[in-house]
């Protein structure tokens, strides 16, 4: 998911979420952020952000995990303007960051880190990059990683489209995960949804040929939209589990089976208890 908790009232989020460069909120600059304005030729993303920044206050346990592990596991990303931006000139040096070059799994919106830490522990032969903007979520991920003894996870606290567009090299990602992104279910907020044709182009850019894009959502309408986007005529993906597209009369058709590598998180458990049925999709980069 794009953040570890969804916005309770999306209609209130417009005040906190930039819909255009003209109304971007002032962000507290990070130590590496530019405080004198963007360099010439560099602008805010053209699309609205798909996330809302929440409070960064940490509990004592999370603060301890942050103090002990952020310096080693949270990437020091050069910024432009905001503390979640990525300098367009920055490229991830995987060998320097992980101490090796191994197949890379990237999770966009890692939330509290449950899925990616579990997978990293089960697959030490793979490297894992969690992309998450919510500091308490990152701190929780660090705490879980330390408890599990994993060393093959790093965190990019940054806007996901900028990570895919600038930071990651073309064809450098083995698997891309987008699990339970904010559905922005009201029509007027659909422009904020992460999974869009533009984001699909960025996903295609970073995935290696044959690489997998795994998605999941507990909102039926958004699941249908995801599949329409990735099945589009211009898409660079093929459905690993093709079949009839689900509709209102046949909601259980046309989805990938639940991927066994996606552990049952607290978020998914709450969605199921609320009566929403998670849907999985798996697409392969052509």
């Amino acid at each position: 998911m794009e953040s570890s908790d969804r916005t309770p009232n999306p209609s209130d989020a417009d005040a906190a979420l930039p819909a255009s460069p003209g109304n971007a909120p002032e962000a507290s600059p990070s130590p590496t952020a530019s405080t004198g304005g963007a360099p010439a030729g560099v602008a805010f993303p053209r699309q609205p952000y798909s996330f809302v920044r929440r409070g960064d206050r940490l509990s004592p346990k999370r603060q301890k995990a942050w103090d002990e592990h952020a310096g080693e596991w949270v990437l020091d990303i050069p910024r432009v303007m905001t503390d979640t931006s990525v300098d367009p000139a920055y490229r991830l040096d995987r060998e320097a960051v992980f101490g090796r070059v191994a197949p890379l799994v990237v999770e966009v919106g890692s939330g509290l880190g449950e899925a990616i830490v579990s997978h990293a522990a089960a697959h030490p032969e793979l490297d894992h990059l969690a992309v998450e903007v919510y500091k308490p979520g990152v701190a929780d991920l660090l705490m879980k990683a330390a408890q599990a003894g994993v060393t093959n996870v790093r965190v990019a606290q940054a806007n996901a489209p900028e990570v895919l567009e600038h930071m990651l090299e073309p064809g450098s990602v083995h698997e891309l995960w987008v699990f339970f992104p904010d559905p922005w279910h009201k029509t007027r907020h659909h422009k904020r949804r992460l999974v869009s044709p533009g984001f699909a182009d960025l996903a295609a850019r970073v995935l290696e040929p044959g690489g997998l894009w795994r998605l999941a959502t507990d909102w039926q309408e958004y699941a249908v939209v995801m599949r329409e986007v990735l099945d589009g005529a211009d898409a660079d993906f093929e459905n690993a589990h093709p079949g009839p597209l689900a509709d209102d009369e046949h909601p259980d058709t046309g989805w990938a089976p639940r991927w066994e590598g996606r552990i049952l998180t607290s978020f998914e458990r709450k969605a199921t208890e609320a009566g929403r049925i998670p849907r999985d999709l798996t697409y392969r980069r052509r």
Side-chain angles (χ1 to χ4, degrees):
M1 54 198 155
E2 182 67 2
S3 62
S4 59
D5 194 12
R6 291 182 181 151
T7 306
N9 185 359
S11 63
D12 294 335
D14 288 334
L17 191 61
S20 66
N23 66 351
E26 182 179 356
S28 300
S30 68
T32 55
S34 170
T35 57
V42 177
F44 279 97
R46 291 183 295 274
Q47 296 299 319
Y49 291 138
S50 60
F51 61 86
V52 173
R53 293 299 299 276
R54 296 171 177 82
D56 282 345
R57 182 175 297 178
L58 301 180
S59 67
K61 286 185 178 180
R62 286 173 169 172
Q63 187 64 58
K64 183 175 185 292
W66 185 273
D67 293 341
E68 292 179 353
H69 303 293
E72 180 182 5
W73 295 341
V74 178
L75 302 182
D76 183 16
I77 300 174
R79 311 294 186 177
V80 178
M81 292 293 288
T82 71
D83 60 359
T84 60
S85 64
V86 177
D87 188 321
Y90 176 62
R91 302 292 181 271
L92 179 66
D93 185 338
R94 293 164 57 190
E95 185 170 6
V97 166
F98 289 99
R100 63 178 184 177
V101 176
L104 180 64
V105 175
V106 176
E107 182 179 20
V108 171
S110 54
L112 300 178
E114 295 158 298
I116 199 164
V117 170
S118 174
H119 195 267
H123 296 277
E125 76 281 6
L126 303 176
D127 288 336
H128 297 74
L129 178 66
V131 182
E132 176 60 59
V133 298
Y134 186 48
K135 187 175 180 179
V138 174
D140 221 69
L141 184 155
L142 299 177
M143 187 162 50
K144 289 182 174 70
Q147 291 170 348
V150 302
T151 59
N152 56 336
V153 177
R154 300 293 183 271
V155 182
Q157 195 175 6
N159 183 31
E162 295 178 72
V163 171
L164 271 56
E165 184 174 7
H166 304 307
M167 185 174 132
L168 298 177
E169 297 284 357
S172 63
V173 175
H174 181 62
E175 286 195 9
L176 176 66
W177 303 349
V178 178
F179 298 148
F180 302 99
D182 195 317
W184 294 104
H185 51 82
K186 293 185 179 180
T187 301
R188 66 179 182 273
H189 296 123
H190 285 182
K191 62 182 178 292
R192 306 187 186 282
R193 286 177 167 175
L194 180 68
V195 180
S196 65
F199 189 79
D201 289 342
L202 296 177
R205 173 188 178 275
V206 300
L207 276 167
E208 65 187 20
L212 297 181
W213 186 1
R214 302 186 188 276
L215 308 96
T217 180
D218 55 313
W219 287 87
Q220 175 76 17
E221 181 268 342
Y222 195 14
V224 172
V225 169
M226 287 179 175
R227 182 163 171 169
E228 289 175 346
V229 166
L230 273 72
D231 282 344
D234 297 331
D236 295 310
F237 298 93
E238 59 180 354
N239 194 337
H241 300 277
L245 180 60
D247 55 29
D248 290 341
E249 295 181 359
H250 307 89
D252 295 326
T253 62
W255 308 112
R258 191 186 191 286
W259 178 47
E260 61 182 12
R262 181 170 65 78
I263 67 168
L264 181 63
T265 64
S266 57
F267 182 89
E268 184 178 354
R269 188 178 300 109
K270 291 177 183 178
T272 303
E273 290 172 354
R276 297 190 299 274
I277 302 174
R279 307 294 187 187
D280 282 72
L281 292 166
T282 303
Y283 279 78
R284 183 177 294 107
R285 176 72 164 93
R286 290 193 175 97

